[in-house]
Amino acid sequence: MISFDLNQSDVELYTAARELLLTAHHTENHRVAAAMRGASGAIYLGLHIGSKRINVCAESSALANARIAQEASIQSSVAVSMDEHGEPQVTNPCGVCRELIRDYGAEATVLVDAGGEVGTVGLAELLPYPWMRATETEWTTQPPEARTFDLSRQPR
């Protein structure tokens, strides 16, 4: 469930990502900045890096910085990108970044743009069905079956 009750820690995380993007923004090479708070309370920054052939998300580089610092896990994350007026705005993480954040902070919260209002959401709501190998699950998934419906029992 999304919460719009942001605290000072959320604002501080956003401000760190915002300041990095204002300093380093480049329309092709550095379009997004990210900030992650580790379990220790430290903030780790990341910057999108791109070229004509490859792009690396800002969240990925923030997470790499946290792991280099031997941070145990991630507690919260935010990414920002520039709007048309040159002002950083919260942007939602892509699917790859959602997976990465989950792998290093399953209980983490993410600041998201919920239709123009910033809120926080847990990864379970952000990524309800994460990618997993069949050998990683605690269950056996049954093959899909076509189901037939008795149309005579449907409301008209």
Side-chain angles (χ1 to χ4, degrees):
M1 172 175 267
I2 193 163
S3 170
F4 295 104
D5 295 326
L6 302 181
N7 59 38
Q8 190 57 40
S9 180
D10 297 325
V11 174
E12 181 183 30
L13 201 63
Y14 164 77
T15 301
R18 179 184 186 279
E19 289 174 2
L20 174 58
L21 190 61
L22 286 171
T23 301
H25 181 260
H26 182 279
T27 56
E28 293 177 22
N29 299 335
H30 308 299
R31 295 187 302 250
V32 178
M36 292 185 178
R37 185 177 305 281
S40 69
I43 293 177
Y44 302 93
L45 299 176
L47 187 63
H48 160 263
I49 54 174
S51 70
K52 291 181 182 178
R53 293 182 34 141
I54 190 167
N55 287 285
V56 176
C57 293
E59 295 95 331
S60 299
S61 63
L63 183 56
N65 285 329
R67 294 303 301 147
I68 289 167
Q70 300 185 3
E71 187 65 58
S73 67
I74 298 302
Q75 287 187 333
S76 55
S77 177
V78 65
V80 296
S81 63
M82 290 292 194
D83 69 9
E84 65 275 4
H85 305 291
E87 184 60 34
Q89 301 292 319
V90 170
T91 189
N92 299 335
C94 73
V96 171
C97 291
R98 292 172 193 219
E99 290 282 345
L100 282 172
I101 295 167
R102 180 184 177 274
D103 287 348
Y104 292 94
E107 302 300 317
T109 59
V110 178
L111 273 73
V112 295
D113 172 359
E117 188 172 357
V118 176
T120 60
V121 65
L123 284 171
E125 290 82 23
L126 192 62
L127 186 66
Y129 302 106
W131 182 85
M132 297 172 73
R133 290 181 174 90
T135 58
E136 296 174 326
T137 66
E138 297 174 359
W139 57 85
T140 300
T141 303
Q142 301 301 312
E145 296 178 5
R147 297 178 191 228
T148 58
F149 295 96
D150 183 353
L151 296 178
S152 65
R153 299 183 68 192
Q154 298 296 317
R156 294 177 191 232

